[in-house]
Amino acid sequence: MTESSVSGKIRVLSDAKGHLIENIDTDQIFHNAHLHITEVDKMGTYAFGNLEGWKDFPQKSSPGDILVVGRNFGAGSSRQQAVDCFRSLQIGAILSPSFGAIYFRNAVNSGFPVLRSLELTQLVDEGKLETGDDIRVFFLSGKAQISSKNLSFHILPMSDVQYEIYRAGGLYSYGKTWNQD
Amino acid sequence: MPKTVIEKIIQSHTHDEVEPGKIVWMDLDIRSARDFGGPNVVKNFEREYGDDPVEDKTKTFFTFDLCVPACSLKYADNQQICRNFARKNNIKVFDVDQGIGSHVLIEEGLALAGMTVVGTDSHLNILGAVNCFGQGMGDVDITFAFRTGKTWFEVPETLRVKIDGAVSSAASAKDLTLYILKRLGTQRAALKAVEFYGEAVKNLSLAGRITLCSMVTEMAGIIGFVPEVDENAAYADSVALDVTGLTPQIAAPSSPENVFDVSEFKGTDIHSGFIGSCTNGRTEDLAAAARVLEGRKIKEGVMLKVVPATRRVYQELLSQGILETLFSSGAIVSNPGCGGCAEGHIGLTGEGEVQISTGNRNFAGKQGKGQTYLASPEVVAASCVVGRIIGPEDL
């Protein structure tokens, strides 16, 4: 079996000083005013609609982009839309030092790649990881490569469960193939 | 070395070997959905599973507690979507009269020590107060749990917190909780289970343990427990605190860990008070407020809003004369439920309004455009008597 990976252009969610924005909560990602929206296709328009400096994200992002975000990303409520708005924009993956616990679960259950690396903060601060870099992230070996810079760093490999749900395309599909004992 | 509380509970619900950091599939003793999240669960279920049955109807519940009875057409529709599904599947509904779902599960003896419970309430981890695993989850997870009775879970590391010393006579479980939150912040307990030990927590009542465990969410922790026996398990981290002589505490806007001695804010004008929520809505909490209000009147122009946690609490307010005291003081006492954590119910603030609340969150905009301070029932009651922040001992 060849290992799954995802590649794309990095988009760093940073503040005016170039540091990763930490503690971005679900109301900043997908504001509660839009919670009545249930179709994934329509959610992309509202991604980061309440995050100062990033309200034009849906226009700026391109399908396949890989987001690099600050620690405790997705803190707050349990809303699934805060994950699905990125699926709607066909974002390839989100990398963060850490995620809110419920947010991480929701992303895994949607079959959307969320990956953790404690090296991200320093790499961004030192200017080694920048918007526009081409990155490839390997889900199982815990490796990320930026070919243009001959740079690689560690990520936490996906757990078996996360990988299996990802491969199945989400928790529901995974459960349907599940041979329960 | 002995396992931690959460490791033991998860181990008894999985065939996998449990260790921190490992993801396991675990069996669930209870799965529940409330009036927020519940309608999404029903829609997901019907889309994904059609007319398939829930895995075990005796372990599946709806608990309506946020907008009770429905205060808008949207919520009326949403609750009815859940009721219709429940009727079709023969699932028990704790309806709009019953109060906060997590408290009802404890009162009904459904959530017991050593069990596993999930639901759509992000404060469901208060079940740690009875040494039960409780966890809030999104609607995809809960839909899957309804159908399969299982969930995946990453076994968290455990933080041991030992709290020695005796607080002052004016301080309550809420003051202790706010002080712990101040000391731990939102990083020390992040994504960990927490076990609380020491003389300051050993003698907490159930209501006090609920107050403490409810705010592990605000510490960014997974769940808090108050174990009866200290087995010295393998902890990832440990903290020792001394709370000797602790005085009443208050969390200033706009984050719960922004905690100070009440004396530092003494004299700050307030316009309204709220006593209730899953953190401080037990009979004991409301009785403590009533002791402060006995023979006193709430200042004219100040609103004191009281929301009992459950119907059983409400009954005890009636039978113990607490309701009479609250009413005579001028408080507004509503039917049981969550109160102001949900838009559209009691405890909201208007622009410029300053509220002092026994709730657990005071983030900007959470309860409205006003500012919210968090404190104990005694401090809220005392402050409403004078219209300014004050500790009960200074009345």
Side-chain angles (χ1 to χ4, degrees):
Chain A
M1 183 179 71
T2 53
E3 183 188 343
S4 282
S5 66
V6 64
S7 63
K9 286 208 182 300
I10 286 181
R11 191 163 287 276
V12 179
L13 265 278
S14 53
D15 60 19
K17 292 175 180 170
H19 300 303
L20 287 175
I21 307 171
E22 301 188 337
N23 299 306
I24 296 175
D25 73 26
T26 50
D27 263 314
Q28 293 171 307
I29 298 170
F30 194 93
H31 194 263
N32 66 58
H34 313 301
L35 288 185
H36 57 279
I37 298 167
T38 52
E39 300 88 354
V40 172
D41 302 354
K42 294 181 182 163
M43 292 176 190
T45 321
Y46 304 99
F48 291 131
N50 190 37
L51 181 63
E52 253 352 283
W54 286 94
K55 294 181 181 177
D56 57 351
F57 176 81
Q59 290 79 51
K60 281 202 297 202
S61 78
S62 306
D65 279 357
I66 293 181
L67 302 189
V68 173
V69 301
R71 67 169 284 276
N72 200 23
F73 185 79
S77 87
S78 61
R79 70 193 61 156
Q80 193 73 36
Q81 287 97 328
V83 170
D84 288 342
C85 63
F86 298 119
R87 292 174 56 217
S88 173
L89 293 171
Q90 298 173 281
I91 297 301
I94 301 180
L95 312 185
S96 175
S98 66
F99 293 88
I102 299 178
Y103 188 89
F104 188 79
R105 293 188 67 85
N106 288 346
V108 170
N109 290 340
S110 277
F112 180 69
V114 281
L115 295 144
R116 295 171 281 188
S117 170
L118 294 174
E119 296 180 40
L120 292 170
T121 309
Q122 197 179 347
L123 287 170
V124 169
D125 284 348
E126 291 175 353
K128 290 178 180 163
L129 223 161
E130 298 169 289
T131 293
D133 286 346
D134 287 304
I135 190 171
R136 179 172 289 276
V137 181
F138 296 89
F139 296 149
L140 296 180
S141 60
K143 192 173 63 175
Q145 281 179 332
I146 298 176
S147 49
S148 53
K149 291 180 172 172
N150 197 21
L151 170 74
S152 67
F153 60 96
H154 294 287
I155 57 166
L156 277 176
M158 277 191 185
S159 65
D160 293 347
V161 170
Q162 183 183 3
Y163 186 63
E164 285 161 13
I165 293 173
Y166 166 76
R167 294 240 304 170
L171 183 64
Y172 298 129
S173 321
Y174 174 67
K176 284 168 191 169
T177 64
W178 198 8
N179 187 16
Q180 289 193 34
D181 22 69
Chain B
M1 197 170 261
K3 283 181 161 34
T4 65
V5 172
I6 195 159
E7 289 163 14
K8 274 193 255 187
I9 295 175
I10 295 175
Q11 188 66 77
S12 65
H13 289 81
T14 184
H15 298 299
D16 301 326
E17 183 60 31
V18 166
E19 56 183 276
K22 188 169 163 186
I23 293 180
V24 299
W25 282 97
M26 58 191 262
D27 296 321
L28 297 165
D29 296 314
I30 295 177
R31 38 275 185 183
S32 66
R34 64 207 308 213
D35 41 344
F36 287 12
N40 308 56
V41 169
V42 170
K43 286 177 190 168
N44 293 343
F45 195 100
E46 291 180 336
R47 185 189 66 239
E48 294 294 329
Y49 305 122
D51 287 328
D52 287 355
V54 297
E55 194 266 341
D56 187 339
K57 60 180 190 278
T58 67
K59 296 178 175 177
T60 308
F61 301 94
F62 286 98
T63 60
F64 296 162
D65 49 18
L66 282 155
C67 207
V68 290
C71 56
S72 75
L73 297 175
K74 194 177 123 207
Y75 292 126
D77 280 343
N78 280 349
Q79 289 169 357
Q80 201 58 23
I81 286 169
C82 297
R83 287 190 195 101
N84 289 340
F85 180 83
R87 248 177 238 128
K88 190 172 119 191
N89 288 279
N90 204 12
I91 295 168
K92 167 84 175 161
V93 178
F94 291 102
D95 217 305
V96 294
D97 56 330
Q98 293 297 311
I100 303 175
S102 55
H103 286 240
V104 171
L105 292 175
I106 293 173
E107 285 178 354
E108 295 287 325
L110 290 164
L112 298 169
M115 290 175 66
T116 54
V117 181
V118 299
T120 56
D121 173 3
S122 63
H123 277 106
L124 198 63
N125 54 5
I126 75 166
L127 299 178
V130 292
N131 292 313
C132 172
F133 172 94
Q135 201 66 57
M137 292 183 177
D139 57 69
V140 173
D141 266 316
I142 300 304
T143 307
F144 190 80
F146 269 36
R147 180 67 190 96
T148 66
K150 291 176 190 292
T151 198
W152 60 270
F153 204 74
E154 181 173 334
V155 182
E157 294 181 325
T158 297
L159 167 70
R160 171 191 164 91
V161 180
K162 185 155 184 286
I163 306 154
D164 285 320
V167 301
S168 75
S169 60
S172 68
K174 183 59 166 290
D175 301 305
L176 178 66
T177 302
L178 289 173
Y179 180 74
I180 296 170
L181 181 51
K182 174 186 183 170
R183 295 294 303 273
L184 297 184
T186 58
Q187 291 228 32
R188 194 79 187 253
L191 303 179
K192 290 189 173 67
V194 184
E195 293 182 15
F196 295 102
Y197 294 98
E199 58 181 301
V201 297
K202 194 171 60 183
N203 296 319
L204 286 178
S205 62
L206 174 61
R209 299 201 305 273
I210 285 175
T211 302
L212 174 59
C213 293
S214 74
M215 292 195 72
V216 170
T217 301
E218 282 60 52
M219 300 171 199
I222 297 288
I223 187 169
F225 299 102
V226 187
E228 291 183 6
V229 189
D230 188 349
E231 293 192 280
N232 203 19
Y235 300 104
D237 190 8
S238 66
V239 179
L241 302 175
D242 190 323
V243 294
T244 304
L246 184 76
T247 56
Q249 304 286 297
I250 192 164
S254 295
S255 73
E257 77 271 25
N258 191 25
V259 174
F260 302 87
D261 288 350
V262 164
S263 57
E264 294 186 54
F265 283 87
K266 190 176 171 183
T268 304
D269 285 333
I270 56 125
H271 307 108
S272 58
F274 174 85
I275 300 176
S277 84
C278 58
T279 294
N280 273 124
R282 303 301 307 168
T283 305
E284 185 181 312
D285 299 313
L286 275 50
R291 281 196 296 278
V292 174
L293 294 170
E294 183 81 53
R296 294 188 168 110
K297 292 274 182 203
I298 289 155
K299 189 178 176 181
E300 195 174 337
V302 173
M303 287 177 282
L304 174 57
K305 298 162 274 190
V306 180
V307 183
T310 66
R311 188 172 174 84
R312 188 173 297 183
V313 169
Y314 200 106
Q315 195 274 323
E316 289 169 1
L317 298 187
L318 276 168
S319 64
Q320 297 177 23
I322 299 165
L323 189 60
E324 173 77 39
T325 305
L326 295 172
F327 181 87
S328 300
S329 75
I332 306 157
V333 184
S334 84
N335 62 308
C338 292
C341 281
E343 184 183 325
H345 234 267
I346 293 171
L348 305 180
T349 60
E351 194 162 2
E353 183 176 342
V354 179
Q355 172 170 259
I356 183 164
S357 164
T358 67
N360 44 52
R361 289 174 178 166
N362 61 347
F363 300 121
K366 170 84 180 163
Q367 284 99 359
K369 289 182 176 170
Q371 294 201 307
T372 297
Y373 290 82
L374 305 177
S376 70
E378 294 92 325
V379 171
V380 171
S383 302
C384 287
V385 170
V386 297
R388 298 184 308 275
I389 291 173
I390 192 170
E393 72 282 15
D394 290 335
L395 258 193

